[in-house]
Amino acid sequence: MKYLHTMIRVQNLEKALHFFVDILGLKVSRKKEYPDGKFTLVFLTTGEEDLSEIELTYNWDQAEPYSVGRNFGHLAYEVDNIYDLCEKIQSMGVVINRPPRDGRMAFVRSPDSISIELLQKGNPLPPKEPWVSMPNSGEW
């Protein structure tokens, strides 16, 4: 077997793409619209050798937000410098729900409340302000 992708439903494709592409830095590997079914699929990768994908499914007629269950869990990405990335995405208006107080792990949420775990590559970075003193915000 080979792992292919994880699908998440999004209510607003533009907001989802802004978050995953512009803020997190993922790359669109392919996009296809299905007018008969009234939905769009967008596949995203990190651009690295491992081409495992996230599939964003946008149903054109979905008016109400999708229910969010804790049974899904989260998506996780390894990052080169967790402090730099958290600073960048926070400056772009994203709430850091679980700050990287330990220099190793942080959580944010997508516009559709999908929990995203950010993990420091290699060893944790030394604790650093303002992250050490920053409280948790909401759920992740």
Side-chain angles (χ1 to χ4, degrees):
M1 272 200 275
K2 176 183 172 185
Y3 175 78
L4 296 177
H5 65 266
T6 298
M7 183 275 274
I8 56 176
R9 289 181 176 89
V10 300
Q11 188 175 8
N12 183 309
L13 187 57
E14 288 180 18
K15 284 183 180 179
L17 286 172
H18 173 68
F19 178 80
F20 286 105
V21 175
D22 300 332
I23 294 175
L24 289 186
L26 298 182
K27 314 268 187 285
V28 174
S29 58
R30 53 199 160 109
K31 178 180 178 179
K32 177 103 173 154
E33 293 190 352
Y34 296 86
D36 293 341
K38 296 184 181 178
F39 67 95
T40 301
L41 301 181
V42 180
F43 290 84
L44 307 171
T45 70
T46 61
E48 301 296 323
E49 284 183 29
D50 176 16
L51 295 180
S52 299
E53 297 174 307
I54 295 175
E55 172 191 329
L56 302 181
T57 296
Y58 171 61
N59 294 300
W60 301 353
D61 296 334
Q62 182 69 27
E64 297 297 317
Y66 291 102
S67 62
V68 178
R70 302 248 333 146
N71 60 337
F72 171 74
H74 61 267
L75 302 173
Y77 291 97
E78 182 180 72
V79 302
D80 289 331
N81 186 306
I82 197 160
Y83 294 140
D84 289 349
L85 180 61
C86 285
E87 184 177 328
K88 174 189 169 197
I89 65 178
Q90 188 176 46
S91 75
M92 298 175 85
V94 174
V95 172
I96 309 295
N97 299 102
R98 195 280 192 189
R101 289 183 292 273
D102 54 7
R104 185 182 76 80
M105 176 180 60
F107 278 88
V108 298
R109 284 192 174 264
S110 77
D112 292 283
S113 294
I114 302 297
S115 190
I116 312 292
E117 181 180 20
L118 306 171
L119 291 167
Q120 174 62 42
K121 183 177 184 178
N123 294 324
L125 299 179
K128 177 179 171 181
E129 291 294 349
W131 311 110
V132 171
S133 302
M134 189 179 289
N136 292 339
S137 176
E139 295 181 341
W140 62 87

